[in-house]
Amino acid sequence: MARVRLSVAERREEMLRAAVEQISARGVDALRIADVAAALGVSNALVLYHFTTKEKLVAAAFARAAEDDLAHLRRLLGRRTPALRRLRAAVRWYAPTGQAKGWRLWIEGWAAALREPALREVTAELDRRWKAAITEVIAEGVAAGEFPCPDPEGAALRLTAFLDGLAVQLTSYAGTVSRARAREWTDEALTRELGLPQGAEAGLRR
C-alpha cells in the first residue's frame, strides 16, 4: 500500500510523536535518528531534513510533549468550579499516581538537560508555566476565601518540587513507596500548602 503523502507540518508532528515514544522506551542517550526513521518507515535523511540533528529533534520532541501536558493542565484549571476542586484535579493528574505524562520521559529529559542547553530551555519553560498556572489558581482560591494560603507562589514551587521528587522515587525505585501511600502524601501536601486544617485531606479523597 502506498504511503499517504503528508504535509510538512503533519510529517513533523508524526516524527515528534515517534521520537517521544522512542525516548520513553530507550532513553535520550540511546536514541538514534535511525530508531525514529524505522518506527515510521522513512529514511534517516528525511528525519534529518526536518530536524538537522538528533539534539534538535530531541528538544522539539520534549517541547511537543510539554505543550500536550500544559494544554491538559489548562483544561483542568479552566473549569468553572471552586479553586480547591481544580487544584485537586490538577495535582492528582500531575502526581506520579495519576494519569499525567510518562514520568520516565521527563526524568530522562531532566537528566539530558544538564548537558543540552536547548533541552534545558524546554524543561525550564515547562516548569515555569506549570508553577505560574498553579500559583494563579491558588491566588484565586485565596481571594474567594476558600483557603488562607499566605504565599501562593511559594506554595506552587514547594508542591511541584514535592511531586517531582515523588515521581523520581516511584519511577526509579519501584516498591519504595506504595501508590496508595503516595496519594495520601500528595493530598496531605496540598492541604498543608493551602493552609487548610490538619485532617482536611480526608475531604480531598471524596
Side-chain angles (χ1 to χ4, degrees), residues 7-49:
S7 69
V8 171
E10 289 171 334
R11 180 69 75 192
R12 284 179 60 88
E13 180 71 14
E14 180 184 60
M15 290 177 180
L16 291 176
R17 293 198 179 279
V20 168
E21 292 176 2
Q22 291 295 317
I23 292 168
S24 296
R26 301 171 183 272
V28 173
D29 289 341
L31 177 72
R32 302 174 303 162
I33 291 293
D35 297 325
V36 176
L40 297 174
V42 301
S43 68
N44 293 4
L46 184 60
V47 178
L48 289 170
Y49 171 79

Side-chain angles (χ1 to χ4, degrees), residues 115-180:
R115 304 181 297 276
E116 298 293 339
L119 186 53
R120 186 157 58 245
E121 290 180 10
V122 170
T123 56
E125 179 65 7
L126 170 64
D127 186 68
R128 184 193 67 77
R129 290 168 67 183
W130 159 265
K131 289 186 177 76
I134 295 297
T135 298
E136 181 178 351
V137 178
I138 292 176
E140 288 179 16
V142 173
E146 292 185 45
F147 38 77
C149 178
D151 179 15
E153 185 174 0
L157 191 156
R158 289 187 296 272
L159 191 58
T160 300
F162 167 75
L163 294 174
D164 289 347
L166 190 58
V168 171
Q169 288 291 316
L170 267 68
T171 303
S172 302
Y173 310 109
T176 301
V177 181
S178 71
R179 296 179 73 83

Side-chain angles (χ1 to χ4, degrees), residues 49-121:
Y49 171 79
H50 285 278
F51 295 100
T52 311
T53 66
K54 170 188 166 178
E55 290 73 24
K56 290 182 179 179
L57 172 62
V58 167
F62 274 100
R64 185 68 186 82
E67 288 302 327
D68 285 346
D69 280 354
L70 287 166
H72 189 77
L73 177 65
R74 286 192 294 270
R75 288 193 292 272
L76 291 175
L77 296 182
R79 294 172 177 173
R80 294 180 179 277
T81 57
L84 179 57
R85 183 173 296 179
R86 285 178 283 152
L87 287 166
R88 178 181 59 188
V91 167
R92 284 190 170 185
W93 165 73
Y94 182 86
T97 57
Q99 299 299 315
K101 57 188 174 235
W103 275 105
R104 176 182 167 83
L105 174 71
W106 287 108
I107 292 171
E108 282 282 346
W110 293 335
L114 296 174
R115 304 181 297 276
E116 298 293 339
L119 186 53
R120 186 157 58 245
E121 290 180 10

